[in-house]
Amino acid sequence: MDLVGRQGHLDLLARLLSESPSRGSAVLVRGMAGIGKTALLAEAAVLAEVSGYRVLRTGGVEAESDIPYAGLQMLLRPLAAGMADLAAPHRQALDAALGRADADIADLFLVGLAALDLIADAAAVAPVLVIADDLQWLDDATVGILAFLARRVATEPVVIVGAARDGYRSRLNPDELTMLQLEPLSDDEATALLADRVPHLRPSAHRRLLAAAAGNPLALTELSRTLGASADPHLAEIPLTERLERAFTGRLGHLPEATRSLLRIAALDDGLSLPELYRAARAFTGSAVGSADLDPAVQARLVEVVGTELRFGHPLMRSAIQQSMSAQVRRAAHAALASALEDQPDRQVRHRAAATGDPDESVATALQDAARRAARRGGVAAALTALEQAAALSEDESRRGERLLLAAEYAAELGRAETVNRLLDTALTGRLSRQQHARVFWLRGGADEGLYSHSSGALSLTALAEEIALEDPALALRILWSAAQLCFWSDPGPQARGQILAAVERIVPDEVDPWRLAVCAYAAPIERGGYVLDRARDVARIEGDDGRAYRMLSTAALLAGGFGLARAFSAAGGAGLRAQGRLGLLARTVGADAWSALVVGDLGAAIAATEESRRLARETGQIMMYGLMTATAAKLAALRGQEGEALALAEAAEEIGLPVGARPVLATAAMARGLAALGQGRFEEAYGHFRRLHDPADPAFQIALRLTTLGDLVDAATHCGRAAAVLPVIAQLEEVAEVTPAPVLHADLRLARALVAADDAAEPLFQEALNADLTALPLIRARTHLAFGEWLRRRRRSVESRDHLRAARDMFDALGAIPWGEKARRELRAAGETSRGRDPDARDQLTAHELQIVQLAAEGLTNREIGQRLYLSHRTVSSHLHRIFPKLGVVSRAELHKVVGALR
């Protein structure tokens, strides 16, 4: 949403503030430096305070941009008393983030949930306006928290307004915030401003100033102060930022030397404390410095004193002073600051580094220690910066390379591909060990489990893993896991699959190791399917697991076709990942549950899990995972009879998957299109979609996922007269079934045999299919009843067909597979029996998010427990339940158990 015009912006903010008691929102204000962003935020704050809001403020300062959670500390300072009421894990995470406790932070999102609860509790007393100025200079961790909050305030009385310079890339998607673009002043507005500030400006200076400032009110104000009654003949030739800096620094020349020294220290300081500033200034000048020396700068409106803190009148003032300092003076000022920060080692070492002109191993080591501490607190961006500085100051070449590689790993974690490549290029200019070269190759190929590597890299990665296995088995396994990922997302071919399989069996001798099982399942889901499922069932409870091992086991079981086992492991792993706030891994673990639930027919669970996994994948920047879960949502919509939504989601997934040939995404999207056509009786079209899944030359061919689609293919083929065309596929999968015990494949084969059999052989095959244990596969049981009932009715055995058609109808209704339930009704009518319509249930009346909340509430979880599990505030959960009860016709939580029980 783009709006132009300052009054329009104010009106919009006023409207959002008036709506906030019932609906929260997020706003981003953008404009070039000095285009009134700060002024607009100030006016918004006044509007909010008049309306009874509590206003929380933070802002970016360039010198503090590498201090993790510096902005969050400023934002939450007024709410410190409420921290005592937070759940213990959240309070501990927030204490660690804000430097109040020495502890690790598993993930930034745990801090985000703590901040959300704190702000939501405050908003229960009075609505809250969160203001974040100069986002481009806020530390990375705080920006991540603000994005987390913005995605979750829709039902809270909270408005978040941030401001940034043009070019700032928001972490929110366009549909998640309102964008306000601040435009430059018109010539008439600029003229009015100049008339107010410098009424006696000569016409020639006036014209030149208007042209130079280009509608920027800050430029007009500052340049007019500098110009006075004369025009600078070179004004039009200097870039605007430099012009402004010259305007600022021009005002410094009239200040006493002691004042200038104070301002030089303050411009380089990454804090605001006046006592700290005076200590550093005394070390810098060698003489006593105090508040009297600061007064001239305050009177010139260059800085202001707020309590015991010093603040610049405008952030460009810092930059202007820094630019005016020689390198020697700058290093001396940093050294003075370091001497004043003995009780703050992380800040001290940054200034020691800035004061150091030559390599210094002691400083480099201290910076590496600071990076480690920052990473423990979740400040990955700060750790990256510190390691880069450490590398630059390293005296030892091998340590320099190691620090650059560690920095590259942090950059990969942040998704900064350009930074990864730059750091690796720099590392390669020095001497690296064989192990370090392996890390370069692995990181260059894409550290995100190989998702963005080309399929030909699988062989190289495998060879590399084997080469360093004795030297560093942990790194070898990470590299091999990336190669295995390529077997899932692309198709490197049988040779690469075989080499990956052989490598993991040599590198990891433990046959029940979760990583070995996962690599085997990814590389050879058919050949090692039985082995994976047998060993996975033997895995005892993994004490102390952080969720990763269970995640590996869940995805291994899924690819081997053990969907019930995959769901059990997903549930076990999800608990630990939720507790730690590791939402990136949680997206994948929940995604395995979603896909598995969908295949077996537990559509209620699939709806909730798909929505959560898709939302988390988007939020954590996992593009291919988001594409896969979008395709899964399309498949789910097709099974529910929501054809328009299914096709739209499938198209969106294909837009993500096609450019990189992501086979799981394209396969699942093709399934969705096939099911949408099949549910509407367009059998020829459905056959075309499903046939793609069994064609190795098609990008939708995925060696493991295709094993779940045989029943769909044969169903479509027999209804459009193509039964003979699918016989080779059936024969091929009969051979596959001799190797793998995948339950869905064997159940589909039993149904397929009956569907393509001659009349005199079909009936016993249908009976055999129904006599098999399909307890864990209700969707296939329902489809087998429907197919047998259709077969009987078409042979004029209507009375016999009714039992099967009735069973199919009731099962499809219970599962929520609406098109197939309606098809069973039509067949029943043709067999002489009428059916009443299906009664809508919670899956029809609630959104996917609401359904998930209802399911958890029915399990007996409190609002706070549900919020902790879904990373929402407990007040948001309460708001959802308040809207859900009338939809379901219930008046208490106790009645929800019956509602949810009907879905199972």
Side-chain angles (χ1 to χ4, degrees):
M1 178 178 185
D2 293 303
L3 297 175
V4 178
R6 184 169 173 223
Q7 188 56 50
H9 297 334
L10 283 173
D11 291 345
L12 174 65
L13 289 173
R15 178 168 61 79
L16 292 176
L17 291 169
S18 69
E19 292 174 352
S20 176
S22 60
R23 184 171 70 89
S25 56
V27 180
L28 175 62
V29 180
R30 277 203 303 217
M32 63 187 293
I35 294 290
K37 298 182 296 298
T38 299
L40 184 64
L41 296 188
E43 292 181 76
V46 171
L47 284 173
E49 288 168 345
V50 168
S51 301
Y53 272 72
R54 183 168 192 174
V55 179
L56 303 177
R57 293 179 174 86
T58 191
V61 176
E62 193 170 11
E64 299 178 12
S65 59
D66 288 326
I67 303 177
Y69 301 105
L72 185 67
Q73 189 169 36
M74 185 188 305
L75 181 71
L76 299 184
R77 191 179 299 158
L79 304 181
M83 289 181 63
D85 298 327
L86 295 175
H90 302 159
R91 185 175 62 253
Q92 292 161 6
L94 200 53
D95 280 341
L98 301 183
R100 296 164 51 162
D102 184 18
D104 290 358
I105 300 171
D107 203 286
L108 174 135
F109 297 107
L110 195 62
V111 180
L113 182 55
L116 177 64
D117 279 344
L118 200 59
I119 291 173
D121 285 343
V125 178
V128 170
L129 171 64
V130 172
I131 289 178
D133 200 2
D134 286 318
L135 288 170
Q136 75 277 358
W137 286 327
L138 267 178
D139 63 276
D140 190 77
T142 296
V143 173
I145 297 296
L146 287 171
F148 177 93
L149 295 173
R151 289 187 172 101
R152 287 163 174 80
V153 298
T155 58
E156 303 282 356
V158 175
V159 175
I160 299 177
V161 182
R165 288 186 179 182
D166 278 340
Y168 176 78
R169 185 174 179 180
S170 171
R171 297 196 186 188
L172 298 179
N173 293 289
D175 59 340
E176 294 175 311
L177 80 166
T178 297
M179 185 77 70
L180 301 182
Q181 184 67 41
L182 288 180
E183 301 295 339
L185 299 179
S186 67
D187 283 350
D188 288 344
E189 291 169 328
T191 297
L193 178 61
L194 286 177
D196 179 61
R197 297 299 175 92
V198 279
H200 304 299
L201 193 65
R202 292 187 310 183
S204 59
H206 182 280
R207 288 192 299 272
R208 190 174 289 276
L209 191 53
L210 284 182
N216 188 323
L218 179 66
L220 288 164
T221 301
E222 295 302 326
L223 292 174
S224 64
R225 285 176 178 168
T226 302
L227 287 174
S230 64
D232 182 348
H234 303 294
L235 198 60
E237 301 172 8
I238 307 172
L240 178 60
T241 300
E242 187 176 341
R243 287 201 299 270
L244 286 179
E245 288 177 351
R246 282 182 52 185
F248 280 126
T249 53
R251 293 156 64 188
L252 293 176
H254 305 292
L255 299 176
E257 180 58 34
T259 306
R260 291 202 298 271
S261 294
L262 273 169
L263 291 179
R264 291 185 183 110
I265 294 290
L268 297 175
D269 195 2
D270 51 7
L272 302 171
S273 166
L274 279 172
E276 174 183 295
L277 173 64
Y278 294 143
R279 287 198 305 272
R282 282 194 289 271
F284 181 61
T285 63
S287 59
V289 178
S291 59
D293 297 300
L294 194 60
D295 287 342
V298 174
Q299 292 165 6
R301 293 191 293 178
L302 295 174
V303 295
E304 61 178 336
V305 173
V306 181
T308 60
E309 294 182 348
L310 177 73
R311 297 176 184 172
F312 281 100
H314 192 277
L316 281 178
M317 191 71 238
R318 279 183 182 272
S319 146
I321 296 172
Q322 291 172 10
Q323 293 299 319
S324 70
M325 298 165 67
S326 69
Q328 182 178 359
V329 170
R330 187 192 298 257
R331 284 197 294 271
H334 279 297
L337 280 163
S339 70
L341 295 170
E342 292 182 356
D343 59 336
Q344 300 181 57
D346 288 350
R347 291 182 60 206
Q348 182 185 49
V349 73
R350 281 194 290 273
H351 289 293
R352 283 182 63 198
T356 304
D358 300 313
D360 186 325
E361 189 59 36
S362 66
V363 177
T365 300
L367 279 168
Q368 187 168 355
D369 291 340
R372 190 178 300 112
R373 288 190 293 271
R376 285 179 58 203
R377 292 174 55 206
V380 178
L384 165 60
T385 300
L387 281 168
E388 268 206 88
Q389 291 178 310
L393 294 174
S394 299
E395 295 177 345
D396 182 88
E397 192 167 356
S398 65
R399 291 181 180 177
R400 171 182 176 272
E402 182 62 23
R403 286 159 180 159
L404 287 168
L405 292 179
L406 284 172
E409 290 190 28
Y410 284 133
E413 185 176 337
L414 292 169
R416 299 178 182 176
E418 291 182 1
T419 303
V420 172
N421 288 323
R422 175 177 58 78
L423 291 167
L424 295 180
D425 288 342
T426 305
L428 287 170
T429 62
R431 290 195 304 271
L432 298 180
S433 68
R434 184 175 61 173
Q435 178 189 359
Q436 288 173 326
H437 272 290
R439 287 167 65 192
V440 170
F441 185 86
W442 173 60
L443 286 165
R444 187 85 78 184
D448 189 11
E449 298 182 342
L451 298 188
Y452 302 105
S453 301
H454 192 272
S455 60
S456 63
L459 282 168
S460 300
L461 287 168
T462 305
L464 184 62
E466 292 199 277
E467 183 181 339
I468 66 166
L470 291 178
E471 184 179 355
D472 192 340
L475 176 59
L477 184 55
R478 291 168 73 188
I479 293 172
L480 197 59
W481 175 236
S482 292
Q485 286 279 294
L486 290 171
C487 296
F488 177 66
W489 293 95
S490 60
D491 188 4
Q495 180 188 358
R497 290 178 181 274
Q499 290 192 16
I500 292 169
L501 196 60
V504 76
E505 291 172 350
R506 283 193 293 269
I507 293 172
V508 188
D510 183 0
E511 290 202 348
V512 294
D513 182 274
W515 275 261
R516 170 169 167 159
L517 294 177
V519 171
C520 286
Y522 273 65
I526 294 171
E527 297 83 352
R528 289 294 186 273
Y531 160 81
V532 168
L533 293 179
D534 287 344
R535 298 301 187 279
R537 292 188 186 98
D538 292 340
V539 175
R541 179 176 175 80
I542 306 172
E543 296 295 338
D545 177 53
D546 63 1
R548 286 180 180 268
Y550 281 123
R551 183 254 156 157
M552 291 293 186
L553 290 169
S554 68
T555 195
L558 185 155
L559 290 175
F563 298 108
L565 192 59
R567 298 189 68 191
F569 284 132
S570 292
L577 295 172
R578 289 180 196 281
Q580 298 172 73
R582 305 178 82 157
L583 301 192
L585 283 175
L586 183 63
R588 296 176 178 237
T589 302
V590 175
D593 181 50
W595 221 93
S596 301
L598 186 51
V599 172
V600 302
D602 187 354
L603 302 194
I607 290 170
T610 300
E611 190 277 337
E612 181 179 20
S613 178
R614 186 171 178 237
R615 173 170 50 86
L616 293 178
R618 184 185 191 188
E619 185 166 353
T620 54
Q622 300 179 83
I623 298 172
M624 287 303 117
M625 190 64 197
Y626 176 72
L628 178 56
M629 297 319 298
T630 298
T632 305
K635 185 180 176 185
L636 182 56
L639 275 171
R640 298 278 295 148
Q642 300 158 343
E643 184 181 13
E645 182 177 357
L647 296 179
L649 287 167
E651 183 176 357
E654 288 162 346
E655 288 177 357
I656 295 171
L658 273 171
V660 291
R663 289 178 181 265
V665 177
L666 302 177
T668 307
M671 293 177 200
R673 291 185 181 279
L675 286 169
L678 194 61
Q680 298 301 316
R682 301 194 303 273
F683 300 112
E684 185 75 33
E685 179 188 336
Y687 171 79
H689 291 303
F690 289 124
R691 189 65 185 86
R692 293 181 58 203
L693 296 159
H694 298 276
D695 178 4
D698 194 290
F701 177 87
Q702 211 285 337
I703 196 168
L705 304 187
R706 70 178 177 132
L707 302 187
T708 65
T709 64
L710 179 62
D712 299 316
L713 173 66
V714 177
D715 186 5
T718 55
H719 279 90
C720 67
R722 291 181 175 270
V726 296
L727 293 178
V729 178
I730 296 174
Q732 182 191 40
L733 292 181
E734 292 278 14
E735 294 178 6
V736 170
E738 293 178 4
V739 180
T740 178
V744 169
L745 174 61
H746 284 270
D748 268 355
L749 276 169
R750 286 189 289 267
L751 175 57
R753 293 181 198 121
L755 286 170
V756 300
D759 278 1
D760 58 349
E763 186 165 357
L765 291 174
F766 276 120
Q767 293 290 358
E768 179 188 348
L770 287 170
N771 288 336
D773 183 8
L774 296 174
T775 306
L777 299 169
L779 188 57
I780 294 179
R781 174 177 285 281
R783 294 185 67 171
T784 304
H785 274 298
L786 176 59
F788 193 19
E790 285 185 278
W791 186 88
L792 289 169
R793 190 188 69 75
R794 280 162 177 70
R795 280 142 191 87
R796 302 184 183 282
R797 297 165 62 180
S798 296
V799 174
E800 295 172 77
S801 73
R802 291 172 192 163
D803 287 341
H804 294 287
L805 295 172
R806 198 180 301 119
R809 175 202 63 196
D810 294 344
M811 292 178 72
F812 284 130
D813 283 356
L815 294 171
I818 297 171
W820 283 264
E822 293 306 309
K823 183 176 182 181
R825 282 179 170 79
R826 291 193 297 273
E827 290 289 332
L828 267 175
R829 282 197 296 273
E833 179 176 311
T834 58
S835 301
R836 66 181 180 83
R838 171 182 173 273
D839 292 328
D841 60 31
R843 289 167 300 200
D844 308 304
Q845 298 162 306
L846 304 179
T847 67
H849 199 43
E850 289 173 337
L851 183 61
Q852 190 176 27
I853 290 172
V854 163
Q855 290 170 338
L856 294 174
E859 293 175 14
L861 275 67
T862 65
N863 289 355
R864 192 173 291 275
E865 290 168 337
I866 295 171
Q868 291 170 1
R869 179 158 179 169
L870 300 183
Y871 279 72
L872 303 169
S873 82
H874 62 93
R875 299 184 186 281
T876 293
V877 174
S878 177
S879 297
H880 278 298
L881 286 172
H882 183 72
R883 290 195 299 271
I884 288 168
F885 279 19
K887 290 183 180 181
L888 298 180
V890 301
V891 295
S892 70
R893 295 171 73 97
E895 297 179 62
L896 292 177
H897 186 74
K898 183 183 296 183
V899 172
V900 173
L903 305 181
R904 294 172 178 163

